[in-house]
Amino acid sequence: MEEYSLRTAQENDLEFLFDVSTEAMRPVVEQLHSGEIFNRDEELQKYKENFTPEKIQIIQYEGQDVGRLRI
């Protein structure tokens, strides 16, 4: 049986959540900003400025973080 669970995000989940968000939105960003170079440090700083972990759930599968749920 598959074991999925949710847990509230914490401050130390920031990098994981940034990576999940970045990968999920990559196709859209590439279409909208074709030819621009992705600056990870700048984008991470923007993400940090708006990071509210209490509004995000981490999706876990068999104890491993695999995604996010933000409503």
Side-chain angles (χ1 to χ4, degrees):
M1 177 175 217
E2 298 173 352
E3 293 291 326
Y4 289 96
S5 61
L6 295 174
R7 66 173 179 79
T8 301
Q10 300 172 5
E11 288 292 328
N12 63 349
D13 292 313
L14 185 135
E15 293 260 349
F16 168 74
L17 292 166
F18 174 75
D19 290 341
V20 168
S21 178
T22 299
E23 285 305 310
M25 294 303 295
R26 184 178 302 276
V28 173
V29 171
E30 287 175 350
Q31 287 290 335
L32 293 174
H33 304 282
S34 179
E36 289 185 25
I37 296 174
F38 177 75
N39 185 317
R40 187 179 194 283
D41 292 336
E42 285 181 13
E43 295 303 320
L44 180 58
Q45 185 57 41
K46 290 178 194 175
Y47 191 83
K48 283 180 183 180
E49 291 169 5
N50 297 305
F51 185 57
T52 51
E54 63 276 1
K55 294 183 179 181
I56 303 170
Q57 295 289 304
I58 302 291
I59 302 168
Q60 294 186 308
Y61 175 71
E62 295 183 351
Q64 296 292 320
D65 297 342
V66 297
R68 73 174 186 165
L69 175 64
R70 186 176 69 179
I71 299 174

Coordinates of all heavy atoms in Angstrom, one line a residue:
M1 N 0.8 -1.2 0.0 CA 0.0 0.0 0.0 C 0.9 1.3 0.0 O 1.9 1.3 0.7 CB -0.9 0.0 1.2 CG -1.8 1.2 1.3 SD -2.9 1.1 2.7 CE -4.3 1.9 1.9
E2 N 0.5 2.2 -0.8 CA 1.3 3.5 -0.9 C 1.0 4.3 0.3 O -0.1 4.5 0.7 CB 0.9 4.2 -2.2 CG 1.3 3.4 -3.4 CD 0.8 4.0 -4.7 OE1 0.1 5.0 -4.6 OE2 1.2 3.5 -5.7
E3 N 2.1 4.9 0.9 CA 1.9 5.7 2.1 C 2.2 7.2 1.8 O 3.4 7.6 1.7 CB 2.9 5.2 3.2 CG 2.6 3.9 3.7 CD 1.3 3.8 4.5 OE1 1.0 4.8 5.2 OE2 0.6 2.8 4.5
Y4 N 1.2 8.0 1.6 CA 1.3 9.4 1.3 C 0.9 10.1 2.6 O 0.0 9.7 3.4 CB 0.3 9.9 0.2 CG 0.7 9.4 -1.1 CD1 0.2 8.3 -1.7 CD2 1.7 10.2 -1.9 CE1 0.6 7.9 -3.0 CE2 2.0 9.8 -3.1 CZ 1.5 8.7 -3.7 OH 1.9 8.3 -4.9
S5 N 1.5 11.2 2.9 CA 1.2 12.0 4.1 C 1.5 13.5 3.8 O 2.2 13.8 2.8 CB 1.9 11.6 5.3 OG 3.3 11.7 5.1
L6 N 1.0 14.4 4.6 CA 1.2 15.8 4.5 C 1.8 16.3 5.8 O 1.5 15.8 6.9 CB -0.1 16.6 4.2 CG -0.8 16.3 2.9 CD1 -2.1 17.1 2.9 CD2 0.1 16.7 1.7
R7 N 2.7 17.3 5.7 CA 3.2 17.9 6.9 C 3.3 19.4 6.6 O 3.6 19.8 5.4 CB 4.5 17.3 7.4 CG 5.7 17.5 6.5 CD 7.0 17.1 7.1 NE 8.1 17.2 6.2 CZ 8.7 18.4 6.0 NH1 8.4 19.5 6.6 NH2 9.8 18.4 5.1
T8 N 3.2 20.2 7.6 CA 3.4 21.7 7.4 C 4.9 22.0 7.1 O 5.7 21.4 7.8 CB 2.9 22.4 8.6 OG1 1.5 22.1 8.8 CG2 3.0 23.9 8.4
A9 N 5.1 22.8 6.1 CA 6.5 23.2 5.8 C 7.1 23.9 6.9 O 6.4 24.6 7.7 CB 6.5 24.0 4.5
Q10 N 8.4 23.9 7.0 CA 9.2 24.6 8.0 C 10.2 25.5 7.2 O 10.5 25.3 6.0 CB 9.9 23.7 8.9 CG 8.9 22.8 9.6 CD 9.6 21.7 10.4 OE1 10.9 21.6 10.5 NE2 8.9 20.8 11.0
E11 N 10.9 26.4 8.0 CA 11.9 27.2 7.4 C 13.0 26.4 6.6 O 13.4 26.8 5.6 CB 12.6 28.1 8.4 CG 11.7 29.2 9.0 CD 11.3 30.3 7.9 OE1 12.1 30.6 7.1 OE2 10.2 30.9 8.0
N12 N 13.4 25.3 7.2 CA 14.5 24.5 6.5 C 14.0 23.8 5.3 O 14.8 23.1 4.6 CB 15.1 23.6 7.6 CG 14.1 22.5 8.1 OD1 12.9 22.6 7.9 ND2 14.7 21.6 8.8
D13 N 12.8 23.9 4.9 CA 12.3 23.3 3.6 C 12.4 24.3 2.5 O 12.0 23.9 1.3 CB 10.8 22.9 3.8 CG 10.6 21.8 4.7 OD1 11.3 20.8 4.6 OD2 9.7 21.9 5.6
L14 N 12.9 25.5 2.7 CA 12.9 26.5 1.7 C 13.6 26.0 0.4 O 13.0 26.2 -0.7 CB 13.6 27.8 2.2 CG 13.5 28.9 1.2 CD1 13.1 30.2 1.9 CD2 14.8 29.1 0.5
E15 N 14.8 25.5 0.5 CA 15.5 25.1 -0.8 C 14.8 24.0 -1.5 O 14.6 24.1 -2.7 CB 16.9 24.6 -0.4 CG 17.8 25.7 0.1 CD 18.8 26.3 -0.9 OE1 18.9 25.7 -2.0 OE2 19.4 27.3 -0.6
F16 N 14.2 23.0 -0.8 CA 13.5 21.9 -1.4 C 12.2 22.5 -2.2 O 12.0 22.2 -3.3 CB 13.0 20.9 -0.4 CG 12.0 19.9 -0.9 CD1 12.4 18.9 -1.8 CD2 10.7 20.1 -0.6 CE1 11.4 18.0 -2.3 CE2 9.7 19.2 -1.1 CZ 10.1 18.2 -1.9
L17 N 11.5 23.4 -1.5 CA 10.3 24.0 -2.1 C 10.7 24.9 -3.3 O 9.9 24.9 -4.2 CB 9.5 24.7 -1.0 CG 8.9 23.8 0.0 CD1 8.4 24.6 1.2 CD2 7.8 23.0 -0.6
F18 N 11.7 25.6 -3.2 CA 12.2 26.4 -4.3 C 12.5 25.5 -5.5 O 12.0 25.8 -6.6 CB 13.4 27.2 -3.9 CG 14.0 28.0 -5.1 CD1 13.4 29.1 -5.6 CD2 15.2 27.6 -5.7 CE1 13.9 29.8 -6.6 CE2 15.7 28.2 -6.8 CZ 15.1 29.4 -7.2
D19 N 13.2 24.4 -5.3 CA 13.5 23.5 -6.4 C 12.2 22.9 -7.0 O 12.1 22.8 -8.2 CB 14.5 22.4 -5.9 CG 15.9 23.0 -5.6 OD1 16.2 24.1 -6.1 OD2 16.6 22.3 -4.9
V20 N 11.3 22.5 -6.2 CA 10.0 21.9 -6.6 C 9.3 23.0 -7.5 O 8.9 22.7 -8.6 CB 9.1 21.5 -5.5 CG1 7.7 21.2 -6.0 CG2 9.8 20.2 -4.8
S21 N 9.2 24.2 -7.0 CA 8.5 25.3 -7.7 C 9.2 25.6 -9.0 O 8.6 25.7 -10.1 CB 8.4 26.5 -6.8 OG 7.8 27.6 -7.5
T22 N 10.5 25.7 -9.0 CA 11.3 26.0 -10.2 C 11.1 25.0 -11.3 O 10.9 25.3 -12.4 CB 12.8 26.2 -9.8 OG1 12.9 27.2 -8.8 CG2 13.6 26.5 -11.0
E23 N 11.2 23.7 -10.9 CA 11.1 22.6 -11.9 C 9.7 22.6 -12.4 O 9.5 22.3 -13.6 CB 11.5 21.3 -11.3 CG 13.0 21.2 -11.1 CD 13.7 21.4 -12.4 OE1 13.4 20.8 -13.5 OE2 14.7 22.2 -12.4
A24 N 8.7 22.8 -11.6 CA 7.3 22.7 -12.0 C 6.9 23.8 -13.0 O 6.2 23.6 -13.9 CB 6.3 22.8 -10.8
M25 N 7.5 25.0 -12.8 CA 7.2 26.1 -13.6 C 8.2 26.3 -14.8 O 8.0 27.2 -15.6 CB 7.2 27.4 -12.8 CG 6.1 27.4 -11.7 SD 4.4 27.2 -12.5 CE 4.3 28.7 -13.4
R26 N 9.2 25.5 -14.9 CA 10.2 25.7 -15.9 C 9.6 25.8 -17.3 O 10.0 26.8 -18.1 CB 11.3 24.6 -15.9 CG 12.4 24.8 -16.9 CD 13.5 23.8 -16.8 NE 14.1 23.7 -15.5 CZ 15.1 24.4 -15.0 NH1 15.6 25.4 -15.8 NH2 15.6 24.3 -13.8
P27 N 8.7 24.9 -17.8 CA 8.2 25.1 -19.1 C 7.5 26.4 -19.4 O 7.6 27.0 -20.5 CB 7.2 23.9 -19.3 CG 7.7 22.9 -18.2 CD 8.2 23.7 -17.1
V28 N 6.8 26.9 -18.4 CA 6.0 28.1 -18.5 C 7.0 29.3 -18.6 O 6.9 30.1 -19.5 CB 5.1 28.3 -17.4 CG1 4.4 29.7 -17.4 CG2 4.0 27.2 -17.3
V29 N 8.0 29.3 -17.7 CA 9.0 30.4 -17.7 C 9.8 30.4 -19.0 O 10.0 31.5 -19.6 CB 9.9 30.3 -16.5 CG1 11.1 31.2 -16.6 CG2 9.1 30.5 -15.2
E30 N 10.2 29.2 -19.5 CA 10.9 29.2 -20.7 C 10.1 29.7 -21.9 O 10.7 30.4 -22.8 CB 11.4 27.7 -21.0 CG 12.5 27.3 -20.1 CD 12.9 25.9 -20.2 OE1 12.2 25.1 -21.0 OE2 13.9 25.5 -19.6
Q31 N 8.8 29.5 -21.9 CA 8.0 30.0 -23.0 C 7.8 31.5 -22.9 O 7.9 32.2 -23.9 CB 6.6 29.4 -23.0 CG 6.6 27.9 -23.5 CD 6.8 27.8 -24.9 OE1 6.6 28.7 -25.7 NE2 7.3 26.7 -25.4
L32 N 7.6 32.0 -21.7 CA 7.4 33.4 -21.5 C 8.7 34.3 -21.6 O 8.6 35.5 -21.9 CB 6.8 33.7 -20.1 CG 5.3 33.2 -19.9 CD1 4.9 33.3 -18.5 CD2 4.4 33.9 -20.9
H33 N 9.8 33.7 -21.2 CA 11.1 34.4 -21.2 C 12.1 33.7 -22.0 O 13.3 33.6 -21.6 CB 11.5 34.6 -19.7 CG 10.5 35.2 -18.9 ND1 10.3 36.6 -18.9 CD2 9.6 34.7 -18.0 CE1 9.3 36.9 -18.0 NE2 8.9 35.7 -17.4
S34 N 11.8 33.4 -23.2 CA 12.7 32.7 -24.1 C 14.0 33.5 -24.3 O 14.0 34.7 -24.5 CB 12.0 32.5 -25.5 OG 12.9 31.8 -26.3
G35 N 15.1 32.8 -24.1 CA 16.4 33.4 -24.3 C 17.0 34.0 -23.1 O 18.2 34.3 -23.1
E36 N 16.3 34.2 -22.0 CA 16.8 34.8 -20.8 C 17.6 33.7 -20.0 O 17.2 32.5 -20.0 CB 15.7 35.4 -20.0 CG 15.1 36.6 -20.5 CD 14.1 37.3 -19.6 OE1 14.2 37.0 -18.4 OE2 13.2 38.0 -20.1
I37 N 18.6 34.1 -19.4 CA 19.4 33.2 -18.5 C 18.8 33.2 -17.1 O 18.5 34.2 -16.5 CB 20.8 33.6 -18.5 CG1 21.4 33.5 -19.9 CG2 21.6 32.7 -17.5 CD1 22.8 34.0 -20.1
F38 N 18.6 32.0 -16.6 CA 18.0 31.8 -15.3 C 19.1 32.1 -14.2 O 20.2 31.5 -14.3 CB 17.5 30.4 -15.1 CG 17.0 30.1 -13.7 CD1 15.8 30.5 -13.3 CD2 17.7 29.3 -12.9 CE1 15.3 30.3 -12.1 CE2 17.2 28.9 -11.6 CZ 16.0 29.5 -11.2
N39 N 18.9 33.0 -13.4 CA 19.8 33.3 -12.3 C 19.3 32.7 -11.0 O 18.4 33.3 -10.4 CB 20.0 34.8 -12.2 CG 21.1 35.2 -11.2 OD1 21.1 34.6 -10.1 ND2 21.9 36.1 -11.5
R40 N 19.8 31.6 -10.6 CA 19.2 30.9 -9.4 C 19.3 31.7 -8.2 O 18.4 31.8 -7.4 CB 20.0 29.6 -9.2 CG 19.3 28.7 -8.1 CD 20.1 27.4 -8.0 NE 19.3 26.4 -7.2 CZ 19.2 26.5 -5.9 NH1 19.7 27.4 -5.2 NH2 18.4 25.6 -5.2
D41 N 20.4 32.4 -8.0 CA 20.6 33.2 -6.7 C 19.6 34.3 -6.6 O 19.0 34.5 -5.6 CB 22.0 33.8 -6.7 CG 23.1 32.7 -6.5 OD1 22.7 31.6 -5.9 OD2 24.2 33.0 -6.8
E42 N 19.3 35.0 -7.7 CA 18.3 36.1 -7.7 C 16.9 35.5 -7.5 O 16.1 36.1 -6.7 CB 18.4 36.9 -9.1 CG 19.5 37.8 -9.2 CD 19.5 38.5 -10.5 OE1 18.4 38.5 -11.2 OE2 20.5 39.1 -10.9
E43 N 16.6 34.5 -8.2 CA 15.3 33.9 -8.1 C 15.1 33.3 -6.7 O 14.0 33.4 -6.1 CB 15.0 32.8 -9.1 CG 15.0 33.3 -10.5 CD 14.0 34.4 -10.8 OE1 12.8 34.3 -10.2 OE2 14.3 35.4 -11.5
L44 N 16.1 32.7 -6.1 CA 16.0 32.2 -4.7 C 15.8 33.3 -3.7 O 14.9 33.2 -2.8 CB 17.2 31.4 -4.4 CG 17.3 30.8 -3.0 CD1 16.1 29.8 -2.7 CD2 18.6 30.1 -2.7
Q45 N 16.4 34.4 -3.9 CA 16.2 35.6 -3.1 C 14.8 36.1 -3.1 O 14.1 36.4 -2.1 CB 17.2 36.7 -3.4 CG 17.1 37.9 -2.4 CD 17.3 37.5 -1.0 OE1 18.2 36.7 -0.7 NE2 16.6 38.1 -0.1
K46 N 14.2 36.1 -4.3 CA 12.8 36.5 -4.5 C 11.9 35.6 -3.8 O 10.9 36.0 -3.1 CB 12.4 36.6 -6.0 CG 13.1 37.7 -6.7 CD 12.7 37.7 -8.2 CE 13.5 38.5 -9.1 NZ 13.2 38.3 -10.5
Y47 N 12.2 34.3 -3.9 CA 11.4 33.2 -3.3 C 11.4 33.4 -1.8 O 10.4 33.3 -1.1 CB 11.9 31.9 -3.7 CG 11.0 30.7 -3.3 CD1 9.9 30.4 -4.1 CD2 11.2 30.0 -2.2 CE1 9.0 29.4 -3.8 CE2 10.3 28.9 -1.8 CZ 9.3 28.6 -2.6 OH 8.4 27.6 -2.3
K48 N 12.6 33.6 -1.2 CA 12.8 33.8 0.2 C 11.9 35.0 0.7 O 11.4 34.9 1.8 CB 14.2 34.1 0.6 CG 15.1 32.9 0.5 CD 16.6 33.2 0.9 CE 17.5 32.1 0.8 NZ 18.9 32.4 1.2
E49 N 11.9 36.0 0.0 CA 11.1 37.2 0.4 C 9.7 37.0 0.6 O 9.0 37.7 1.4 CB 11.4 38.4 -0.6 CG 12.8 38.9 -0.6 CD 13.1 39.8 -1.7 OE1 12.2 40.2 -2.5 OE2 14.3 40.2 -1.8
N50 N 9.1 36.0 -0.2 CA 7.7 35.7 -0.1 C 7.4 34.4 0.5 O 6.2 33.9 0.5 CB 7.1 35.7 -1.5 CG 7.2 37.1 -2.2 OD1 6.8 38.1 -1.6 ND2 7.9 37.2 -3.3
F51 N 8.4 33.8 1.1 CA 8.2 32.4 1.7 C 7.4 32.4 3.0 O 7.7 33.1 3.9 CB 9.6 31.8 2.0 CG 9.6 30.4 2.4 CD1 9.0 29.4 1.7 CD2 10.2 30.0 3.6 CE1 9.0 28.1 2.1 CE2 10.2 28.7 4.0 CZ 9.6 27.7 3.3
T52 N 6.3 31.7 3.0 CA 5.4 31.6 4.1 C 5.2 30.1 4.4 O 4.2 29.5 3.9 CB 4.1 32.3 3.9 OG1 3.5 31.9 2.7 CG2 4.3 33.8 3.9
P53 N 6.1 29.4 5.1 CA 6.0 28.0 5.2 C 4.6 27.5 5.9 O 4.2 26.4 5.5 CB 7.2 27.6 6.1 CG 7.6 28.9 6.7 CD 7.2 30.0 5.8
E54 N 4.1 28.3 6.7 CA 2.8 27.9 7.4 C 1.7 27.8 6.4 O 0.6 27.2 6.7 CB 2.5 28.8 8.5 CG 2.2 30.3 8.1 CD 3.4 31.1 8.0 OE1 4.5 30.7 8.2 OE2 3.2 32.3 7.6
K55 N 1.8 28.2 5.2 CA 0.8 28.1 4.2 C 1.0 27.0 3.2 O 0.3 26.8 2.2 CB 0.6 29.4 3.4 CG 0.1 30.6 4.3 CD 0.0 31.8 3.4 CE -0.6 33.0 4.3 NZ -0.8 34.2 3.5
I56 N 2.1 26.2 3.4 CA 2.5 25.2 2.5 C 2.5 23.8 3.2 O 3.0 23.7 4.3 CB 3.9 25.5 1.9 CG1 3.9 26.9 1.2 CG2 4.3 24.4 0.9 CD1 5.2 27.4 0.8
Q57 N 2.0 22.8 2.5 CA 2.1 21.4 3.0 C 3.2 20.7 2.1 O 3.2 20.9 0.9 CB 0.8 20.7 2.9 CG -0.3 21.3 3.8 CD 0.0 21.0 5.2 OE1 0.1 19.9 5.6 NE2 0.0 22.1 6.0
I58 N 4.0 19.9 2.8 CA 4.9 19.1 2.1 C 4.3 17.7 1.9 O 3.7 17.1 2.8 CB 6.2 18.8 2.9 CG1 6.9 20.2 3.3 CG2 7.2 17.9 2.2 CD1 7.5 20.9 2.1
I59 N 4.3 17.3 0.6 CA 3.7 15.9 0.3 C 4.9 14.9 0.5 O 5.9 15.1 0.0 CB 3.2 15.9 -1.1 CG1 2.1 16.9 -1.3 CG2 2.7 14.5 -1.4 CD1 1.8 17.2 -2.8
Q60 N 4.6 13.9 1.3 CA 5.6 12.9 1.5 C 5.0 11.5 1.0 O 3.9 11.3 1.1 CB 5.9 12.7 3.0 CG 6.6 14.0 3.6 CD 7.1 13.7 5.0 OE1 6.3 13.3 5.8 NE2 8.3 14.0 5.2
Y61 N 5.9 10.8 0.4 CA 5.6 9.4 0.0 C 6.6 8.5 0.6 O 7.8 8.6 0.5 CB 5.7 9.3 -1.5 CG 5.5 7.9 -2.0 CD1 4.2 7.3 -1.9 CD2 6.6 7.2 -2.6 CE1 4.1 6.0 -2.4 CE2 6.4 5.9 -3.0 CZ 5.1 5.3 -2.9 OH 4.9 4.0 -3.4
E62 N 6.1 7.6 1.4 CA 7.0 6.6 2.2 C 8.1 7.3 2.9 O 9.2 6.9 2.9 CB 7.5 5.5 1.2 CG 6.4 4.7 0.7 CD 6.9 3.5 -0.2 OE1 8.1 3.5 -0.5 OE2 6.1 2.7 -0.6
G63 N 7.7 8.5 3.6 CA 8.6 9.2 4.4 C 9.6 10.2 3.7 O 10.3 10.9 4.3
Q64 N 9.5 10.2 2.4 CA 10.3 11.1 1.6 C 9.6 12.3 1.1 O 8.4 12.1 0.6 CB 10.9 10.3 0.4 CG 11.8 9.2 0.7 CD 13.1 9.7 1.4 OE1 13.7 10.7 1.0 NE2 13.6 9.0 2.4
D65 N 10.1 13.5 1.1 CA 9.5 14.7 0.6 C 9.5 14.6 -1.0 O 10.6 14.3 -1.6 CB 10.3 15.9 1.0 CG 10.3 16.2 2.5 OD1 9.4 15.6 3.2 OD2 11.1 16.9 2.9
V66 N 8.3 14.7 -1.6 CA 8.2 14.5 -3.0 C 7.5 15.7 -3.7 O 7.5 15.8 -4.9 CB 7.5 13.2 -3.4 CG1 8.3 12.0 -2.9 CG2 6.1 13.2 -2.8
G67 N 6.8 16.6 -2.9 CA 6.1 17.7 -3.6 C 5.6 18.6 -2.6 O 5.9 18.6 -1.4
R68 N 4.7 19.5 -3.1 CA 4.1 20.5 -2.2 C 2.7 20.7 -2.5 O 2.2 20.4 -3.6 CB 4.9 21.9 -2.3 CG 4.5 22.5 -3.6 CD 5.1 23.9 -3.7 NE 4.6 24.5 -5.0 CZ 4.7 25.8 -5.2 NH1 5.3 26.6 -4.4 NH2 4.3 26.3 -6.3
L69 N 1.9 21.2 -1.6 CA 0.5 21.6 -1.7 C 0.4 22.9 -1.1 O 0.7 23.2 0.1 CB -0.4 20.6 -1.0 CG -1.8 20.9 -0.9 CD1 -2.4 20.9 -2.3 CD2 -2.6 19.9 -0.1
R70 N 0.0 23.9 -1.9 CA -0.2 25.2 -1.4 C -1.6 25.7 -1.9 O -1.9 25.7 -3.1 CB 0.9 26.2 -2.0 CG 0.8 27.6 -1.4 CD 1.9 28.4 -1.9 NE 1.7 28.7 -3.3 CZ 2.5 29.4 -4.1 NH1 3.6 29.9 -3.6 NH2 2.3 29.6 -5.4
I71 N -2.4 26.1 -0.9 CA -3.8 26.5 -1.2 C -3.9 28.0 -0.9 O -3.5 28.4 0.1 CB -4.8 25.7 -0.4 CG1 -4.6 24.2 -0.8 CG2 -6.2 26.2 -0.7 CD1 -5.5 23.3 0.0

